[in-house]
Amino acid sequence: MGYFAAVLTRTEDGWDANEIDLDEIDDLTDLADAMRESSGDADPESTSLLFFEQEDAWFAVVRVDGEEDPRVFVSDSDAVGHSAYAEMLLEAAGGSGTALAVEELDVEPEESADDDDADDEPEDLDAGPVGDTELLTDLGTDGETLLSLCAKEGMLPSEILTALAEAAGAGEALESVR
């Protein structure tokens, strides 16, 4: 399966972006270390964000502030069935037991033409976003906005990551590595 992973690091001059290979990453500690290393000459206390998306199916954001523990948000707890990366990130985000069903969100998902057929399918209440919804609040995206982006029909994970980067002022940096 293909994925896109980029580390955005806030510097005095703005944001720097680097693609990162996750094939040698075994756990969240390794991931946080790789994120810190990818930031190169940046201040050791700087903020780094991993923007990860796989197969236009789901995305994750991991935030590392200096030496603090990473904070994780995953757009869809069902991703664990499709990816080893998702398993690692979901475990760090609190597992599928803390997933938020769309019905629990304080936002309305957009109507789609397929909504009539949705009544015929069983509902998976554990499916949905999981993790730290407030990890981007100081970077322009509050928790409610993040959740509403996840609930928006027809919006691809890559488009959501672009919107998150633009809100943080890192849109150009993200586009430089796409």
Side-chain angles (χ1 to χ4, degrees):
M1 286 188 134
Y3 69 85
F4 170 77
V7 175
L8 304 170
T9 304
R10 187 166 39 186
T11 68
E12 290 179 9
D13 300 325
W15 289 89
D16 286 333
N18 298 295
E19 280 193 83
I20 186 171
D21 182 7
L22 301 180
D23 291 339
E24 302 299 318
I25 304 295
D26 293 324
D27 58 26
L28 194 61
T29 301
D30 290 347
L31 178 59
D33 289 344
M35 289 172 63
R36 289 180 188 107
E37 289 171 13
S38 77
S39 62
D41 296 334
D43 179 357
E45 294 301 313
S46 63
T47 296
S48 293
L49 303 171
L50 171 73
F51 279 14
F52 178 93
E53 67 106 341
Q54 189 163 21
E55 299 287 323
D56 281 333
W58 63 279
F59 74 91
V61 178
V62 179
R63 178 178 179 154
V64 175
D65 292 306
E67 293 298 319
E68 292 182 27
D69 290 338
R71 298 163 60 189
V72 180
F73 176 83
V74 178
S75 67
D76 186 0
S77 62
D78 280 346
V80 73
H82 308 288
S83 168
Y85 301 118
E87 187 174 340
M88 174 186 64
L89 294 169
L90 281 167
E91 183 179 309
S96 61
T98 60
L100 303 169
V102 171
E103 295 78 21
E104 296 173 30
L105 303 179
D106 203 15
V107 296
E108 291 292 321
E110 290 185 4
E111 296 288 326
S112 74
D114 299 329
D115 280 349
D116 294 335
D117 298 334
D119 294 338
D120 300 336
E121 298 173 3
E123 193 170 287
D124 183 2
L125 294 178
D126 288 333
V130 62
D132 185 348
T133 60
E134 300 298 325
L135 82 165
L136 299 173
T137 298
D138 65 327
L139 298 174
T141 304
D142 62 33
E144 186 175 326
T145 302
L146 181 58
L147 292 172
S148 70
L149 288 170
C150 292
K152 200 172 213 179
E153 290 291 326
M155 194 164 191
L156 295 173
S158 58
E159 295 169 329
I160 295 171
L161 290 177
T162 297
L164 297 175
E166 287 174 356
E172 285 183 27
L174 180 63
E175 287 306 310
S176 74
V177 294
R178 279 206 188 255

